[in-house]
Amino acid sequence: MRLLRLGSMGPSVQLLQLALNRAGFGPLEQDGVFGTATQNALARFQQAQGLTPDGIAGSSTHRALLPWYTGFTVHRVQRGDSLYSVAERYGSSVEAIQLANPELNPANLLIGTQLVVPLPFPVVPTDIAYSSQLVAYCVRGLAARYPFIVTGEIGKSVMGRPLWVMILGSGENRVMYNASHHANEWITTPVLLKFAEQLASAFASGGSVFGQSAAELMDYASIYFVPAVNPDGIDLVTGELTQGEYYDRAAAIAANYPQFPFPSGWKANIRGVDLNLQYPAGWEQARENKYAQGIRSPAPADFVGSAPLTAPESRAMYDFTLSVEPELILAYHTQGEVIFWQFLDYEPEGSRSIAELFSHVSGYRVESTPYASGFAGYKDWFIQDFNRPGYTIEAGLGLNPLPVSDFAGIYEKNLGILTLGALVT
């Protein structure tokens, strides 16, 4: 997290405001503008934590705020502690602490033992703009709260940011969901993160998701989530990245293509390569199509790159998919409320009927991909090489980037797709 002070703006400020609200130092409007109300609330928090109350969020303050960024804290057991007293101290529950500490013997709490203590709010925020740092906090928080979630990295972005993966379930039916190949479609990232949290919570409590037993779903399937394929681009679009070498290069690229508003029209990775035009499935045709449209060099959108899989983010997705060999994939994009299910004349067995089922539970239309944008995408390559069902889900309606206020409606319409996607193959 960067240094935040009076006058700072952007997703980090929204996250700071959210954390202060979670910690009980609000209410603050989570508008991403560091004004006097945020400064005063932060100073009160710092004083309560024994920090210099200067109203500036530097490294020590961010460390103190970490529990309210990630949704958990670590408590060192002291003499006289019980699970009940620890839970009461943090507003947690005995059940949540036991779940987060599966090796714990509650009848024998050893002094000095470190306990992961979930805090009393959801890990995944759905009302603020996202950044690569927030994605990392969500992954870390979910893994701490639900230790049956397996987490890791499938690679790094151009700027060295992790490309996170989370795995839920232990079944033989492997499916893979990804989001945010395109930077200004970042709202799809919290869609996947929120579904992972809802599924994990339902599994832990013996509940269900979209009428399906979470335990049965996770016994049948293993769901691989890659929630942010393009973290650098997300930071650029949402205003987390506003200066420095990478920003300056992106601005120079955008200046060559004034038809794309900057940064809101940015879809590409930070080098100006469209990650969803990087896969070896008619890449040459995609290049011909985009060159005909005048996109012949790094651009905010639609530049295919110098060759397939030259962008590290697309290469990581390609290699990881080959290693997993999923039975089905969902690639989340915005917008249009459309389900694309074909590539050329490939029609994997059952893929059309699955698309119709997804349409039924979401209200989205089932359509064939337009020729001008129907090559070199992740879904295209998966269908071509695996001959298994693959879908591009165009969520939401409007002009990208869709506002975060649209999240609830988008999530509601996609809950059935995300649930049944793990069960239909």
Side-chain angles (χ1 to χ4, degrees):
M1 290 281 284
R2 57 191 173 91
L3 182 74
L4 302 176
R5 63 198 316 160
L6 192 66
S8 296
M9 300 177 67
S12 286
V13 177
Q14 283 190 294
L15 180 56
L16 172 67
Q17 292 165 332
L18 171 66
L20 290 169
N21 284 335
R22 286 172 166 179
F25 290 86
L28 293 172
E29 184 180 357
Q30 295 164 189
D31 58 3
V33 178
F34 197 130
T36 56
T38 300
Q39 183 184 48
N40 292 336
L42 181 59
R44 294 197 307 273
F45 171 83
Q46 290 169 321
Q47 187 166 28
Q49 294 288 318
L51 301 171
T52 301
D54 57 7
I56 298 172
S59 58
S60 59
T61 298
H62 286 309
R63 281 194 298 272
L65 283 164
L66 192 59
W68 294 277
Y69 291 151
T70 61
F72 75 95
T73 191
V74 176
H75 174 82
R76 188 178 295 275
V77 174
Q78 302 173 9
R79 187 178 303 278
D81 277 347
S82 67
L83 286 191
Y84 178 81
S85 67
V86 173
E88 188 175 52
R89 174 176 175 178
Y90 294 101
S92 187
S93 70
V94 170
E95 294 76 15
I97 296 173
Q98 288 179 309
L99 178 64
N101 301 272
E103 304 301 320
L104 180 68
N105 180 359
N108 185 26
L109 288 184
L110 299 178
I111 294 174
T113 299
Q114 290 188 331
L115 298 180
V116 173
V117 182
L119 298 181
F121 50 80
V123 172
V124 179
T126 60
D127 56 354
I128 62 173
Y130 264 64
S131 65
S132 58
Q133 184 64 71
L134 178 50
V135 175
Y137 286 149
C138 288
V139 172
R140 180 177 176 182
L142 291 173
R145 187 171 293 200
Y146 305 106
F148 52 81
I149 298 177
V150 178
T151 65
E153 301 177 22
I154 68 168
K156 300 283 190 183
S157 70
V158 170
M159 296 178 65
R161 295 186 167 116
L163 306 181
W164 296 105
V165 62
M166 299 187 299
I167 309 169
L168 274 74
S170 57
E172 294 184 1
N173 188 52
R174 299 178 305 278
V175 298
M176 186 179 295
Y177 302 166
N178 68 76
S180 296
H181 266 83
H182 288 152
N184 65 353
E185 300 169 7
W186 64 263
I187 200 170
T188 57
T189 288
V191 168
L192 293 195
L193 291 170
K194 189 63 185 178
F195 178 69
E197 180 168 29
Q198 184 174 354
L199 178 59
S201 176
F203 176 78
S205 65
S208 62
V209 177
F210 200 72
Q212 305 292 321
S213 162
E216 291 179 6
L217 187 156
M218 290 178 61
D219 182 62
Y220 177 75
S222 296
I223 308 177
Y224 293 74
F225 295 87
V226 182
V229 179
N230 188 0
D232 304 343
I234 291 174
D235 284 351
L236 180 65
V237 169
T238 60
E240 184 63 15
L241 179 64
T242 59
Q243 59 184 353
E245 178 185 354
Y246 286 105
Y247 177 86
D248 291 343
R249 288 181 182 176
I253 289 170
N256 295 324
Y257 292 94
Q259 67 268 39
F260 299 107
F262 182 75
S264 64
W266 193 276
K267 295 169 65 177
N269 77 352
I270 202 66
R271 286 183 177 148
V273 177
D274 192 315
L275 298 179
N276 206 43
L277 291 171
Q278 270 277 287
Y279 294 92
W283 180 86
E284 293 79 6
Q285 184 61 58
R287 179 178 58 184
E288 181 178 327
N289 292 346
K290 299 307 178 184
Y291 275 30
Q293 297 170 17
I295 311 296
R296 297 169 171 264
S297 63
D302 297 338
F303 178 58
V304 301
S306 58
L309 303 175
T310 51
E313 300 91 346
S314 297
R315 182 79 213 195
M317 281 297 301
Y318 174 88
D319 289 341
F320 188 63
T321 304
L322 288 177
S323 72
V324 173
E325 297 186 341
E327 300 295 328
L328 173 148
I329 63 93
L330 301 178
Y332 264 87
H333 291 257
T334 59
Q335 49 78 33
E337 297 194 341
V338 174
I339 300 167
F340 294 123
W341 66 285
Q342 284 180 298
F343 174 59
L344 299 179
D345 57 352
Y346 292 90
E347 188 171 336
E349 183 179 358
S351 57
R352 175 74 195 208
S353 61
I354 294 172
E356 295 289 357
L357 175 62
F358 289 166
S359 175
H360 175 72
V361 297
S362 65
Y364 286 12
R365 304 183 313 279
V366 176
E367 293 187 0
S368 298
T369 309
Y371 184 84
S373 56
F375 299 91
Y378 175 76
K379 175 265 294 177
D380 306 328
W381 164 71
F382 179 79
I383 293 174
Q384 171 192 273
D385 278 26
F386 286 85
N387 194 30
R388 295 172 182 173
Y391 305 92
T392 294
I393 312 295
E394 297 281 359
L397 292 170
L399 181 66
N400 290 331
L402 300 181
V404 73
S405 58
D406 287 0
F407 177 86
I410 290 172
Y411 188 73
E412 180 181 5
K413 289 187 176 183
N414 281 278
L415 182 58
I417 295 176
L418 292 163
T419 304
L420 298 179
L423 298 172
V424 292
T425 55

